[in-house]
Amino acid sequence: MELQNNKVNFTARMDVSNVSNNLKRWRSVANLFETKTARSPEDVFTLLPSREGSLDVAYRLENVDISFCKLQIPQIKKLLKETDDSIAASFAKLLVIYQAQVKKIGYAKEFLDKMSNNGRNVDADFTAKLWRVVMEKCMKDVNKSLEANTSLNVFRNA
C-alpha cells in the first residue's frame, strides 16, 4: 500500500524507470495498469531491459524479482501496436497469473519453514531440488495460462 497525495493507493504498480525506449508510452501504460489492478497494493511489475533490447517482466517477491516471461523485440513491437489501454489490460491479466504462481512459491517456503521449525534437518541439496521443481511447475503453469488466453500470446516465450 502506498500513500500518494494523502490518499491510499490500493493498486498494483508497474515500474518502468529502467526502460529508455518508448518511455512516455510505457509510463502511460503503467498509469493505466494501476487503474486496472484494484486491491493489489503489494504487487509490483518491473520492466527490466537487456542490452539486446528485450524486456523481462519481473514481479517483486519480497526482496527478489522473479520473471516468468521475457519480451523479445518482435514481441515488444507486436505489443506496442495495441492501444495503451489494451496493453495495460494484458499486463493486468498477466498479474493474476503471476499472483497464482507466487502462492505456489509461498507454499513451498512454508513447507521448508515448517520442516526447519520441527527440528528436521533440511539439507541444501533437498532445498535446491525442491525450488527447481517448484519453479519448473510455475513456469509450466504460466505457459499453460498464456496459451489458454489468446490475448496474452505475446507474453509466451518460444
Side-chain angles (χ1 to χ4, degrees):
M1 187 168 33
E2 181 178 314
L3 283 173
Q4 293 179 344
N5 300 328
N6 296 326
K7 294 181 185 175
V8 178
N9 179 9
F10 287 104
T11 63
R13 292 183 309 109
M14 180 182 288
D15 179 357
V16 296
S17 62
N18 297 307
V19 177
S20 57
N21 292 338
N22 298 305
L23 182 58
K24 184 176 179 181
R25 180 98 193 266
W26 284 114
R27 282 185 179 147
S28 172
V29 169
N31 287 333
L32 290 166
F33 173 76
E34 288 184 17
T35 67
K36 297 180 181 305
T37 55
R39 294 184 295 267
S40 298
E42 303 296 321
D43 297 299
V44 179
F45 266 150
T46 304
L47 299 185
L48 298 169
S50 70
R51 279 188 232 125
E52 303 82 37
S54 64
L55 286 174
D56 268 323
V57 181
Y59 180 91
R60 174 59 66 179
L61 178 62
E62 294 179 10
N63 293 324
V64 179
D65 286 325
I66 57 172
S67 175
F68 295 111
C69 72
K70 180 184 286 266
L71 296 170
Q72 301 296 339
I73 293 172
Q75 292 166 291
I76 296 167
K77 287 180 180 179
K78 183 177 179 183
L79 189 64
L80 291 176
K81 287 181 183 177
E82 302 292 327
T83 65
D84 291 359
D85 192 64
S86 177
I87 296 168
S90 292
F91 273 102
K93 290 177 187 176
L94 186 65
L95 176 64
V96 172
I97 294 168
Y98 273 37
Q99 287 170 329
Q101 304 320 306
V102 167
K103 284 183 183 178
K104 290 176 187 146
I105 292 167
Y107 296 145
K109 184 179 181 317
E110 244 178 65
F111 172 73
L112 288 172
D113 289 346
K114 281 182 183 178
M115 286 185 67
S116 292
N117 291 339
N118 288 334
R120 295 211 170 82
N121 186 11
V122 182
D123 69 359
D125 188 46
F126 173 81
T127 302
K129 286 178 182 177
L130 176 67
W131 283 120
R132 186 172 45 254
V133 168
V134 169
M135 295 311 288
E136 286 173 3
K137 172 69 171 145
C138 289
M139 193 65 181
K140 183 178 177 181
D141 289 350
V142 167
N143 285 327
K144 187 176 179 181
S145 295
L146 295 176
E147 287 172 12
N149 191 330
T150 56
S151 70
L152 298 178
N153 277 338
V154 71
F155 294 105
R156 287 185 57 211
N157 291 322

